[in-house]
Amino acid sequence: MSMKKTDIEKNKNMKIDCKMKSVGVPGRFGQGAAGVVDKRDQRRIDSAAGLVPFACKLPADLVKSLSARAAGHEGGVNAFVAQALERALAVAAGGS
């Protein structure tokens, strides 16, 4: 007895469904998800630390050089840019 094309596809679908149901839960949805901070909590943490989001448009070559220099900085891009701005503002205030 031969099977119809639709019956063959239904059987394939059932096999796939069984395989998907037998696979375990990935770490990002299970135990490992507890350590991830969502955006709202991250905003609260940043505001408690006195950090304020500040967006501006910069030339692409400047961004590349900032990223390259910040790669070795211990605080990352945010800390490196803050430090660079503080130095530049100190120089600008002293030069006036």
Side-chain angles (χ1 to χ4, degrees):
M1 176 175 163
S2 64
M3 297 179 74
K4 293 181 184 178
K5 176 76 172 164
T6 55
D7 292 334
I8 294 172
E9 294 301 321
K10 284 181 187 177
N11 284 342
K12 285 182 185 177
N13 189 23
M14 286 175 50
K15 287 180 184 179
I16 291 172
D17 284 342
C18 289
K19 287 181 183 178
M20 288 175 60
K21 288 179 183 177
S22 67
V23 174
V25 178
R28 65 178 184 222
F29 298 116
Q31 302 271 335
V36 177
V37 180
D38 65 345
K39 289 181 182 181
R40 191 173 288 168
D41 289 338
Q42 186 63 47
R43 278 191 225 119
R44 285 189 202 121
I45 292 168
D46 289 345
S47 66
L51 301 175
V52 179
F54 180 77
C56 62
K57 296 188 186 269
L58 300 172
D61 57 338
L62 179 60
V63 172
K64 287 179 185 176
S65 65
L66 282 172
S67 296
R69 289 186 180 186
H73 196 270
E74 62 188 36
V77 175
N78 292 329
F80 178 75
V81 171
Q83 185 180 20
L85 285 173
E86 286 174 358
R87 286 182 185 169
L89 289 173
V91 169
S96 297

